[in-house]
Amino acid sequence: MRLRKALALTAVLLAAATTVTAPTAAADIGTGGGARPAPALPSRAQATCGDGKSTAFPIGARIRGGPAVYRTGGGPQTWYLDLTNTTDSTCTAIHPVVVLTDKARALRPAHLRMEFDAPSGTLPVSLERTDRDEIIAVFDGGDAFPGFTVAPGGSRTVKVGLAFAPDAPTGEVVADAALVQRKGDDGDWIGEAGGYHFSVEGPEDPVEAGSLAHTGPREWAYGAGAVAALAAGGGLLLGARRLRRPAP
């Protein structure tokens, strides 16, 4: 989907979010391993990653391996974003755009630090807050990153580090992602992933049982449809602005 059309599709996306039921476990590749599948809108076929005829996203994605608990003031913890090219052509200039939504809507960009591994090394993620009090994290490496390339039928795993400041608010958080293929000053929405739930706790809080966060379809009342909210609230437009090259 063209990022500049995201707001025009607000009503359609929000209506779909209220009618689509949770996907099965078989939907891990292509629908985000628990995230609400995006509706098969005609604009999805405009993506140039692939043959342009399929109504399915050309890049399947999944968030996995993240911890269930992050400690305020602690060091970065690792999770992974798997990208799978479902087409027979090379997909280039892929930039993940992650939306973090905390239940209390109290998170601010200064409360967290995120970085990702690229072929050139570890790069920072740009953070901004939307008017819906979500945190948008754009994998742009400070405009120094050309995007990921995934070969036909191939896959790539992106290692992500996330840490929270000592004064970060505690509580439940959900992470969802849209995958954007940058095209000059614009881009196409070519994939999504979601359903990574975790909690932020103080350094002395007791650790809950379990070492890995839930990334399935249950317990996603405030996180379900976060990718739809990302588009509806202008988050994709915010991501596009971050990805635009600076004017000469």
Side-chain angles (χ1 to χ4, degrees):
M1 169 168 41
R2 281 291 185 178
L3 300 182
R4 289 173 179 169
K5 296 180 180 178
L7 288 180
L9 294 170
T10 297
V12 177
L13 289 168
L14 291 181
T18 62
T19 58
V20 179
T21 58
T24 64
D28 277 352
I29 296 298
T31 60
R36 178 197 59 78
L41 301 171
S43 57
R44 184 186 293 185
Q46 295 178 6
T48 58
C49 178
D51 60 15
K53 298 178 182 179
S54 174
T55 57
F57 280 131
I59 299 293
R62 180 178 62 172
I63 296 174
R64 64 172 177 85
V69 175
Y70 289 81
R71 296 290 174 179
T72 57
Q77 297 199 69
T78 299
W79 50 273
Y80 301 92
L81 178 61
D82 294 330
L83 310 178
T84 300
N85 186 346
T86 64
T87 76
D88 58 2
S89 63
T90 299
C91 291
T92 61
I94 300 171
H95 293 265
V97 178
V98 173
V99 56
L100 297 167
T101 308
D102 66 309
K103 194 170 185 179
R105 304 291 175 132
L107 270 179
R108 297 295 183 266
H111 290 143
L112 61 137
R113 182 175 81 256
M114 189 182 293
E115 57 191 20
F116 67 100
D117 283 0
S120 60
T122 301
L123 299 175
V125 172
S126 297
L127 301 170
E128 290 193 31
R129 184 169 63 94
T130 72
D131 56 4
R132 297 169 63 94
D133 293 325
E134 299 151 335
I135 302 299
I136 300 299
V138 182
F139 288 51
D140 59 356
D143 290 325
F145 177 55
F148 292 106
T149 296
V150 185
S155 62
R156 176 182 289 272
T157 295
V158 181
K159 181 180 177 181
V160 182
L162 175 62
F164 289 86
D167 62 344
T170 58
E172 300 176 9
V173 181
V174 64
D176 291 90
L179 303 180
V180 175
Q181 184 180 44
R182 181 175 180 172
K183 302 177 71 177
D185 287 343
D186 202 0
D188 289 330
W189 183 8
I190 60 171
E192 62 181 28
Y196 174 26
H197 293 252
F198 58 88
S199 65
V200 178
E201 299 181 4
E204 302 302 324
D205 293 342
V207 179
E208 296 181 2
S211 59
L212 294 180
H214 171 61
T215 55
R218 61 183 174 85
E219 297 176 354
W220 47 286
Y222 69 93
V227 172
L230 181 64
L236 282 176
L237 295 179
L238 184 61
R241 188 179 72 202
R242 274 290 192 180
L243 292 174
R244 288 172 188 163
R245 296 184 176 89

